[in-house]
Amino acid sequence: MIAALPASRVLDVGCGTGLNAGFLKARGHSVTGVDISPVAIERFTSQGFEGFVCDVSAQSLPVGNDTFDLVYASEVIEHCTDTETFLGELFRVLRPGGKLVLSTPNSAFWPYRILAAAGRTPSEYQHQGHVRFFSQKSLRRAVENAGFGAVNVSGRHMYLLFGSAVDPAAVVLRKLGFEQEQRFRTGGYFWQLSRFSPKASGFWADTLFLDAAKPNTSA
């Protein structure tokens, strides 16, 4: 979603130690990072990036209005209690016509719906640091309420998944297109069959990818 864009001034929100920033820099982008962790920012800036410590859901970013061409926030919004403030700050620092790209788990994914019938919630299966849980509709609504337009939600559609008990069939699963995926919560893994879709299904998508634009007031 970002690689094809022209060289841009990018704010990497939740930059960590710089894995995604390195990817963006290699594609010609100028990257500034922000993270809640001082340790992460220390490692981030040691690689030559500009970065600063800030909790974007509770503090103002130490940059001016209309500073960045692109704001990138991968798997961050679900960790923010105050998503209204979070999205408001991202909107403020984007230039008119600038682009927001973010991702977050889909808490209306089909296995969660099945588990809900058994009295379980997504909070029991997602990362323990998640405090907000989004469906496709609620994510779109939050971003639009923050002032963004041209909102598009794509997704990774996951059609089948199995636990590690099917390992004896690993050779067959790989031939069918299944991949192993780690589980952060348990440290284990599962087998999944998925593909990217430019238009997310609120039922099939396990991960939502949203891109939106700050309206160009000069237009």
Side-chain angles (χ1 to χ4, degrees):
M1 295 172 68
I2 295 176
L5 296 176
S8 304
R9 295 167 297 169
V10 179
L11 178 65
D12 183 359
V13 181
C15 62
T17 58
L19 179 64
N20 291 329
F23 175 90
L24 295 168
K25 181 180 179 180
R27 283 150 182 81
H29 301 291
S30 173
V31 185
T32 300
V34 56
D35 201 282
I36 198 171
S37 166
V39 175
I41 289 297
E42 182 178 357
R43 293 181 61 185
F44 183 82
T45 55
S46 71
Q47 300 176 65
F49 294 110
E50 178 185 5
F52 43 85
V53 178
C54 182
D55 179 355
V56 186
S57 67
Q59 301 168 288
S60 296
L61 289 161
V63 296
N65 297 346
D66 309 336
T67 300
F68 295 98
D69 303 307
L70 173 71
V71 170
Y72 174 74
S74 176
E75 309 295 302
V76 177
I77 191 171
E78 65 273 10
H79 294 269
C80 299
T81 302
D82 187 349
T83 55
E84 183 176 351
T85 296
F86 175 77
L87 290 169
E89 272 299 282
L90 304 192
F91 184 90
R92 180 183 69 81
V93 302
L94 264 179
R95 64 165 176 80
K99 191 177 185 69
L100 168 69
V101 174
L102 63 81
S103 67
T104 192
N106 174 25
S107 293
F109 179 39
W110 63 267
Y112 294 144
R113 299 189 191 201
I114 294 172
L115 291 165
R120 312 296 290 270
T121 69
S123 64
E124 297 176 62
Y125 296 93
Q126 292 184 19
H127 188 282
Q128 57 266 35
H130 293 184
V131 295
R132 294 298 300 270
F133 301 89
F134 292 94
S135 66
Q136 179 186 7
K137 290 182 178 179
S138 65
L139 180 65
R140 176 186 291 275
R141 182 168 59 249
V143 171
E144 290 177 341
N145 287 345
F148 290 95
V151 179
N152 179 65
V153 184
S154 51
R156 183 178 72 162
H157 287 183
M158 188 177 292
Y159 301 109
L160 290 171
L161 61 140
F162 300 106
S164 57
V166 300
D167 283 359
V171 173
V172 175
L173 290 171
R174 287 195 175 95
K175 287 182 177 179
L176 292 173
F178 281 81
E179 296 180 356
Q180 269 189 8
E181 182 158 330
Q182 296 299 122
R183 292 198 65 194
F184 290 105
R185 189 176 182 91
T186 65
Y189 63 88
F190 60 92
W191 292 90
Q192 56 90 357
L193 180 66
S194 63
R195 69 171 179 84
F196 175 79
S197 175
K199 294 294 182 182
S201 160
F203 182 81
W204 291 111
D206 81 305
T207 304
L208 301 169
F209 308 107
L210 180 143
D211 62 275
K214 181 174 180 176
N216 194 334
T217 54
S218 64

